Amino acid sequence: MTSQTIQAVRGMNDILPDEAELWEEFDQVARDWLRAYGYRPMRMPLVEPTPLFARAIGAVTDIVEKEMYSFIDALNGEALTLRPEGTASCARAVLQHSLLHAGPQRLWYAGPMFRHERPQKGRYRQFHQFGVEAFGYAGPDIDAEQIVMCARLWEDLGLSGIRLEINSLGSAEERQRHRAELIAYFERHHAALDADAQRRLHANPLRILDSKNPHMQDLIEGAPRLMDFLGADSLDHFKGVQTLLGEAGIPYRINPRLVRGLDYYNLTVFEWITDQLGAQGTVCAGGRYDGLLGQLGGKPAPACGFAVGVERLIALLKETFGDEPARSTAPDVYVAHQGELAARTAFRVADMLREAGCDVLLHCGGGSFKSQMKRADASGALLAVIIGDEEAREDSASLKPLREDAPQRRVPLDALAGEVGDYLFGDEQEREGQ
Ligand code: HAM
């Protein structure tokens, strides 16, 4: 009987080294970018109490109705959910630890999120976000700063052609009045609604505007617009954001149909979209959510944030630059050895060189010097350190440049780190010394 190999869960991907190196580069750029804007890191659990998401995201949303990985903890009967997004968890943590006592907070987090969606290109069941949340800031400046901040990330990554759409969802009261009109409008066209829309008509009509059903697009196009229900304060806030974006030279389009798939938003919402990835082109999305902390039982405080979809951004990077990581991940030195004493010496030498600041690949697994040198060459290392019995007995090693036609030479071990350093970093050290 043959047993089948086990495969990963559908929609949950392994990220193999070639691609993971690209992810690491992206992480590095993102961390520097976040620091430049004064955001501080947060790490929240992957699992949260299920009611957190119903309360934060909204009970009548795709995520909460049909996409959450929820389960009962068999040991204590607690209802738990793998987080489908990070804003709810971050807000919970801010309240739980009273972070706002110390003043407003700019926070970020990164990691996997889980949604039981239909997997396709750019849409997965485990995906990753870089999330950015600012708590305690009421003015339009932080909304604009976050949007400008995204533009800077695209620039730092060398990406272009990501367009910005913005909208304002107004206040809860304004949405309430719009909602009544919306229900009346959709009731007049009840027969044209699909089953989802009919079910949501009274529970959450705004979600109908988010429908992807092509047969309902004309109907949605003609629906009453929230923008026409906004009062002076909401319009002022929206104008404030637009003025700052204009001054920063960021082009945008106001999309009155941009409502977002989560219920916690008010006022500014935005999405960054590329046409280069097919249907799943939104690489980043967010907005203001001034009601969330209060809704979670805490002292109300304004808040605004967004999340970048890492898989989509990596796909865009690959689309733009090809598969190759920009930074070489080759080691500096490959250590080859043969014989028992040489093996022990090589082990010691490799660590000594790392201590001196080199990236070192120690050959493991035996084999002739010839085959080891082939590996050394394939590794991309600049130098090979070769240790045979003779070298080991004499406390020395042979040094061979791999990327130029230069002779191999014997170096005493106590001079090795210095010689290797001179070879690898000589120019750099000279420059620094000048
Ligand atoms: P979201 O629009 O649900 O918002 O997700 C943000 C981004 O995550 C999307 O624009 C997309 O790039 C990526 N994303 C979402 N679902 C998937 C998926 N199934 N597969 C791959 N990528 C996906 C939020 O999650 C909010 N928490 C954003 C936010 C933060 N709002 C305020 N603060």
Side-chain angles (χ1 to χ4, degrees):
M1 204 176 77
T2 56
S3 63
Q4 274 194 328
T5 56
I6 295 174
Q7 306 284 307
V9 175
R10 189 164 127 80
M12 304 202 181
N13 300 315
D14 298 309
I15 298 158
L16 304 179
D18 279 347
E19 179 152 335
E21 280 167 355
L22 196 57
W23 282 60
E24 291 201 340
E25 275 179 53
F26 169 74
D27 278 5
Q28 195 50 53
V29 173
R31 278 161 203 270
D32 291 345
W33 161 71
L34 289 158
R35 197 169 321 108
Y37 283 86
Y39 281 82
R40 300 182 64 208
M42 282 278 280
R43 295 178 185 229
M44 297 89 66
L46 266 59
V47 177
E48 295 276 1
T50 301
L52 172 67
F53 300 113
R55 265 219 251 171
I57 299 171
V60 190
T61 55
D62 277 353
I63 295 179
V64 173
E65 280 189 323
K66 44 191 182 194
E67 294 173 359
M68 294 210 304
Y69 284 91
S70 297
F71 56 98
I72 301 296
D73 185 329
L75 297 178
N76 63 6
E78 218 179 327
L80 301 176
T81 292
L82 288 180
R83 64 180 186 192
E85 58 109 47
T87 310
S89 305
C90 194
R92 179 209 39 77
V94 162
L95 291 177
Q96 184 173 336
H97 304 284
S98 308
L99 290 190
L100 293 180
H101 279 175
Q105 300 284 328
R106 283 175 159 96
L107 306 170
W108 69 269
Y109 50 83
M113 310 289 161
F114 302 86
R115 297 184 195 175
H116 196 106
E117 299 195 79
R118 198 170 52 78
Q120 54 180 282
K121 183 175 174 243
R123 184 191 279 169
Y124 309 104
R125 290 181 175 170
Q126 176 178 308
F127 61 98
H128 297 73
Q129 288 184 342
F130 259 81
V132 169
E133 317 285 359
F135 295 91
Y137 302 92
D141 48 354
I142 195 89
D143 315 24
E145 188 190 70
Q146 289 188 345
I147 294 173
V148 171
M149 190 176 163
C150 295
R152 166 145 333 265
L153 179 62
W154 315 146
E155 200 181 308
D156 289 352
L157 292 167
L159 295 173
S160 57
I162 308 178
R163 63 174 196 276
L164 169 65
E165 294 194 350
I166 63 173
N167 190 21
S168 175
L169 300 183
S171 67
E173 299 72 45
E174 289 153 3
R175 279 201 304 283
Q176 202 55 40
R177 273 188 280 122
H178 171 245
R179 180 193 147 100
E181 292 286 323
L182 207 54
I183 293 177
Y185 170 82
F186 283 128
E187 270 177 343
R188 287 200 298 280
H189 299 90
H190 200 267
L193 297 178
D194 64 14
D196 244 11
Q198 289 190 4
R199 197 171 40 77
R200 287 172 167 184
L201 178 55
H202 291 277
N204 198 345
L206 203 62
R207 284 278 81 78
I208 301 178
L209 302 180
D210 207 22
S211 165
K212 304 280 180 290
N213 183 343
H215 303 299
M216 286 187 5
Q217 296 310 307
D218 285 347
L219 183 66
I220 290 171
E221 202 57 56
R225 295 187 165 195
L226 177 54
M227 195 60 78
D228 299 328
F229 293 76
L230 298 194
D233 287 352
S234 297
L235 289 171
D236 272 359
H237 189 99
F238 199 35
K239 263 270 150 320
V241 175
Q242 290 176 61
T243 303
L244 289 167
L245 290 182
E247 280 173 12
I250 308 281
Y252 59 88
R253 182 174 88 88
I254 298 177
N255 175 2
R257 289 189 46 196
L258 181 64
V259 293
R260 309 280 298 119
L262 306 93
D263 281 352
Y264 46 61
Y265 293 108
N266 67 304
L267 294 174
T268 321
V269 287
F270 61 93
E271 290 192 356
W272 288 92
I273 304 156
T274 173
D275 294 325
Q276 295 175 63
L277 296 178
Q280 306 303 322
T282 306
V283 292
C284 170
R288 190 161 269 287
Y289 50 96
D290 297 327
L292 182 58
L293 291 185
Q295 223 167 288
L296 293 179
K299 187 163 166 238
C304 188
F306 64 89
V308 171
V310 181
E311 279 79 357
R312 293 182 191 178
L313 218 51
I314 295 283
L316 192 56
L317 284 169
K318 284 168 112 176
E319 194 72 29
T320 310
F321 299 109
D323 284 346
E324 288 295 309
R327 184 172 50 85
S328 165
T329 52
D332 299 315
V333 180
Y334 196 97
V335 180
H337 54 88
Q338 206 165 40
E340 207 180 305
L341 180 61
R344 293 211 306 276
T345 309
F347 200 89
R348 202 155 40 83
V349 162
D351 230 29
M352 179 181 84
L353 292 175
R354 290 187 193 108
E355 180 90 20
C358 307
D359 296 342
V360 182
L361 215 54
L362 171 66
H363 182 84
C364 289
S368 67
F369 266 133
K370 191 163 170 230
S371 69
Q372 293 191 36
M373 291 313 283
K374 269 194 191 149
R375 292 269 184 95
D377 195 46
S379 76
L382 295 174
L383 270 180
V385 166
I386 303 161
I387 305 174
D389 277 340
E390 201 182 308
E391 281 96 342
R393 270 198 309 276
E394 292 176 6
D395 266 344
S396 67
S398 293
L399 209 54
K400 179 162 176 48
L402 293 171
R403 309 293 149 196
E404 61 173 332
D405 198 11
Q408 176 171 326
R409 65 202 165 81
R410 189 77 74 83
V411 178
L413 285 189
D414 52 11
L416 186 65
E419 295 268 337
V420 167
D422 280 352
Y423 184 85
L424 293 173
F425 314 122
D427 293 349
E428 226 169 87
Q429 283 163 356
E430 258 168 47
R431 269 197 306 278
E432 277 168 16
Q434 273 169 7

